[in-house]
Amino acid sequence: MKLRNVILFSRIGLAIAQRLHSDGANVVISSRKAANVDEALATFSSHDKILGMPCHVGKSEDREKLVQETLNKFGKIDILVSNAGTNPTFGPMMDCPEDAWDKIFDVNVKAAFFLAKEVAPHIAAQDGGSIVFISSIGGLHPIPVRIPNSLVI
């Protein structure tokens, strides 16, 4: 499959973005903070075939704008790599406050789902594509001081 248009999130996605770009893909680099986007863009020797823009994936208007700007610049989306995540609190799971749990769920689960839901119709309307969700190894090997990956009482 020829790589063309890819949306990537967060600083973890930088190596993925660099590789896909070196393989010829158009790449959209996004992070909640504009400074992170600028820092990532500075690592590329050429800004041909790259779009960088801030996007808070927990906000529907930001997700919609990201998808629309990608379509405006590149015409389609072939791959979505979603790796945005948050963990605003540390310690035993049973000590996790409700507002922290809400933030974890909103960003790590709901936002990824809604972004995929936003992109999927565009992928389905063309010759196919991929949606990739990046997750923490903590789901397989819990880290006791990071919640909600483990139940530490």
Side-chain angles (χ1 to χ4, degrees):
M1 174 172 75
K2 183 175 180 185
L3 301 173
R4 294 185 201 120
N5 304 311
V6 184
I7 298 177
L8 288 153
F9 289 95
S10 188
R11 296 176 66 162
I12 292 171
L14 182 57
I16 298 168
Q18 290 169 330
R19 175 57 189 261
L20 291 172
H21 186 259
S22 72
D23 287 346
N26 296 323
V27 177
V28 178
I29 296 176
S30 184
S31 179
R32 183 174 49 88
K33 297 179 182 176
N36 291 345
V37 174
D38 294 340
E39 183 181 325
L41 289 174
T43 68
F44 290 85
S45 59
S46 167
H47 288 170
D48 290 341
K49 300 168 34 168
I50 295 178
L51 171 64
M53 63 182 292
C55 173
H56 188 307
V57 294
K59 298 179 179 178
S60 62
E61 61 274 8
D62 280 15
R63 292 189 306 266
E64 292 167 9
K65 182 179 178 184
L66 179 71
V67 171
Q68 190 57 55
E69 290 298 319
T70 300
L71 294 170
N72 290 346
K73 180 158 178 92
F74 299 122
K76 64 186 219 171
I77 300 169
D78 297 307
I79 303 170
L80 166 66
V81 178
S82 178
N83 66 329
T86 189
N87 191 15
T89 184
F90 295 90
M93 183 175 186
M94 300 307 288
D95 292 341
C96 181
E98 186 173 350
D99 62 333
W101 177 251
D102 288 343
K103 184 174 183 176
I104 292 166
F105 192 79
D106 285 346
V107 172
N108 299 4
V109 179
K110 285 175 58 180
F113 168 76
F114 285 118
L115 184 62
K117 186 176 176 182
E118 185 85 23
V119 169
H122 300 286
I123 289 176
Q126 60 197 32
D127 58 352
S130 299
I131 297 175
V132 180
F133 297 103
I134 306 294
S135 183
S136 167
I137 190 69
L140 294 174
H141 302 285
I143 304 164
V145 296
R146 294 192 64 165
I147 61 168
N149 296 330
S150 60
L151 181 58
V152 179
I153 300 175

